[in-house]
Amino acid sequence: MSDTLSRLRGELIAAGQFFHSKGWVPATSSNFSARLGAEDMLITSSGQHKGRLDDNGFLRADLQGVSLETGKRPSAETGLHTVMYRRDPAIGCVLHTHSVNATVLSMRLEEVVLAGYEVQKAFPGVETHESRLMIPIFPNSQDIPALAAEVNAYLDAHPQTVAYLIRGHGLYTWGTTVADTLRHIEALEFLFECVYRQLLLDR
Ligand SMILES: CSC[C@@H](O)[C@@H](O)C(=O)COP(=O)(O)O
Ligand SMILES: [Zn+2]
């Protein structure tokens, strides 16, 4: 077992415990992955409770989503992870969560516009609250290859995108490391709470 694999697995287990403490990974929702090398990744197996992961809750898969471990089934949404690793060799982690705020906002808005918030600086390349981050919302689908193709085309056209929502479903974001990606999730959840509260005040 490589040191890298056990370190990344530990980081993803800790991320799941943190997200669970926040209520962002209810039931067996959500999935996590981290790049192992140029051709493979570590990903949660399907149906695990992400707040109570242990070493057995992961498997190695290639970047086409094929399990490299017999008897273990990768996340049902593996295609949304592999599309990111194939797009960009600098991406080292993809995290998907199902918080209430992400889900509710995705049901009410066409896109989430983040503007004027200091915490936007949690994202790479964002140096001022005067930036504008657009979080697109894709229709939910059980056809993961089709959804992954839609995400891929959108990111080709909008390469500055830092995350996306799936309607009625949840949030996907990515980063170079598990720590960076966890910071993105935490920043986005803070920002979604701000957007939600502003919408309430504006009523
Ligand atoms: C428990 S419903 C959530 C799932 O349908 C799915 O959206 C999800 O995030 C987890 O799927 P998984 O196959 O465990 O990775
Ligand atoms: Zn999901």
Side-chain angles (χ1 to χ4, degrees):
M1 188 63 59
S2 82
D3 288 350
T4 304
L5 189 149
S6 24
R7 175 179 55 79
L8 292 171
R9 199 171 46 193
E11 289 178 22
L12 292 175
I13 290 172
Q17 291 168 350
F18 173 64
F19 296 155
H20 184 45
S21 76
K22 297 288 196 180
W24 299 341
V25 291
T28 57
S29 74
S30 311
N31 32 72
F32 313 148
S33 69
R35 182 191 287 280
L36 290 167
E39 307 282 339
D40 60 346
M41 65 176 179
L42 184 67
I43 189 161
T44 44
S45 65
S46 189
Q48 298 286 326
H49 191 295
K50 308 314 180 302
R52 302 188 201 111
L53 287 166
D54 62 20
D55 290 356
N56 294 321
F58 296 85
L59 65 146
R60 281 179 59 233
D62 70 20
L63 297 191
Q64 307 307 316
V66 176
S67 173
L68 299 172
E69 296 182 33
T70 42
K72 283 195 163 181
R73 192 160 52 98
S75 166
E77 295 169 356
T78 293
L80 296 174
H81 293 250
T82 53
V83 71
M84 299 310 301
Y85 295 120
R86 291 200 307 262
R87 285 185 61 77
D88 183 353
I91 292 179
C93 178
V94 178
L95 297 174
H96 165 53
T97 49
H98 279 231
S99 73
V100 171
N101 283 342
T103 305
V104 168
L105 288 178
S106 75
M107 297 292 267
R108 279 288 181 273
L109 302 177
E110 294 306 312
E111 65 201 351
V112 180
V113 179
L114 303 172
Y117 295 106
E118 182 72 11
V119 169
Q120 288 164 219
K121 289 162 63 183
F123 295 95
V126 178
E127 290 178 358
T128 170
H129 63 285
E130 291 175 335
S131 55
R132 190 176 167 86
L133 299 184
M134 305 280 280
I135 311 297
I137 303 174
F138 297 101
N140 198 13
S141 173
Q142 304 302 319
D143 184 343
I144 297 300
L147 185 51
E150 195 178 348
V151 168
N152 200 32
Y154 181 91
L155 294 176
D156 282 346
H158 305 88
Q160 303 308 317
T161 306
V162 297
Y164 64 87
L165 290 166
I166 308 172
R167 183 156 290 120
H169 180 160
L171 169 67
Y172 271 85
T173 189
W174 49 88
T176 53
T177 64
V178 175
D180 282 348
T181 313
L182 190 148
R183 187 184 70 245
H184 297 170
I185 291 273
E186 197 175 11
L188 286 161
E189 289 299 343
F190 170 85
L191 291 161
F192 290 160
E193 178 77 23
C194 292
V195 170
Y196 178 73
R197 290 192 195 197
Q198 278 197 310
L199 285 172
L200 287 181
L201 287 173
D202 290 346
R203 277 157 58 106

